[in-house]
Amino acid sequence: MTIRVLLADDQALLRATFRILIESVPDMTVVAEAADGQEAVDLAETHRPDVLLMDIRMPNLDGVSATAAICDRPELSATRVLVLTTFENDENVAKALRAGASGFLGKGVSPEVLLSGIRTVAAGEALLSPSATRSLIIRFLAAPRNDAFPALPDILKALTEREREVMALAAHGRSNAEIADQLVLSPLTVRSHIQRAMNKLHAHDRAQLVVIAYHSGLVKPPSQPHS
């Protein structure tokens, strides 16, 4: 299956570079390019890409707002947003994850990492390394937000004990294989538990499941050492 990619970046040179790289492999193609966030939303509606590479800082509509607009549209539920950023600890990255982005990459990553990242999110997985997840959760995602995910503790009651256990480990950045080893389960069983938890909590993907785990209190962020 060919992965259909939409590029959204206000720098034409970067878009051209990404296009050349993506179209150099047989399992990917670029369906369109957007120079700002609003154009990204419009082109996503038109082309229904599998993956949208989204720059955070763009004119007219920024990448965070564009991500939220895309992830809020049921007709675009199959489109995964992969955020590209120069500053991996930027608060806007956390906001994009809250809005439904499937993960993020720094713009300085190698071509192999970028292509692997596209394949990862296209497959429905989250692109969140354990260290990046902890950093973002500690600094931004775990901050109290009265308007975020209301009544989630009640919603979590719909999960089985095993689903909550698997969800908590995923929130700590564990891969399916690592969770399977720890709980003595098969990776396929772990994947099924993750999928059922996502369905019950209406999570767009695994990345949003991680956000929900922290906001709901299922998982507590590790304490930061005092300097």
Side-chain angles (χ1 to χ4, degrees):
M1 183 188 76
T2 300
I3 301 172
R4 303 170 69 255
V5 181
L6 172 60
L7 304 176
D9 196 297
D10 62 340
Q11 297 184 48
L13 181 58
L14 271 179
R15 295 199 308 273
T17 301
F18 289 143
R19 176 184 280 274
I20 291 170
L21 173 62
I22 290 168
E23 296 195 333
S24 71
V25 294
D27 61 332
M28 297 183 197
T29 187
V30 174
V31 295
E33 298 181 21
D36 61 57
Q38 186 57 58
E39 190 176 13
V41 175
D42 295 340
L43 289 174
E45 285 276 10
T46 300
H47 295 279
R48 308 292 172 91
D50 300 305
V51 176
L52 197 165
L53 289 185
M54 181 79 77
D55 186 22
I56 285 285
R57 292 175 173 81
M58 290 187 292
N60 296 333
L61 189 68
D62 63 46
V64 174
S65 299
T67 296
I70 289 167
C71 293
D72 282 345
R73 302 190 183 193
E75 67 272 20
L76 295 177
S77 61
T79 294
R80 304 301 184 204
V81 176
L82 178 55
V83 171
L84 295 175
T85 177
T86 306
F87 307 100
E88 295 187 10
N89 285 330
D90 194 325
E91 182 177 4
N92 287 324
V93 175
K95 290 179 180 177
L97 293 175
R98 288 195 197 107
S102 294
F104 68 93
L105 285 173
K107 287 187 176 181
V109 298
S110 68
E112 293 77 14
V113 170
L114 177 62
L115 294 175
S116 175
I118 293 172
R119 294 187 182 102
T120 296
V121 299
E125 299 293 334
L127 193 64
L128 295 171
S129 71
S131 60
T133 300
R134 284 195 295 270
S135 174
L136 285 167
I137 291 296
I138 290 170
R139 295 185 59 192
F140 306 115
L141 298 184
R145 289 172 58 87
N146 295 330
D147 60 334
F149 306 112
L152 265 180
D154 291 334
I155 294 176
L156 289 180
K157 293 177 182 177
L159 302 183
T160 66
E161 182 177 351
R162 180 63 87 184
E163 287 164 357
R164 288 194 294 271
E165 189 175 19
V166 170
M167 178 177 170
L169 289 172
H172 282 297
R174 305 285 196 278
S175 68
N176 284 359
E178 290 169 336
I179 295 172
D181 286 343
Q182 181 167 339
L183 300 181
V184 194
L185 300 170
S186 73
L188 182 59
T189 299
V190 171
R191 186 182 181 89
S192 296
H193 285 312
I194 291 288
Q195 189 60 54
R196 283 197 292 270
M198 285 168 49
N199 291 341
K200 290 178 180 180
L201 298 178
H202 306 290
H204 184 69
D205 60 14
R206 190 185 184 107
Q208 199 164 42
L209 196 68
V210 169
V211 175
I212 292 172
Y214 282 90
H215 274 304
S216 67
L218 177 66
V219 173
K220 303 294 185 184
S223 300
Q224 289 179 288
H226 296 290
S227 56

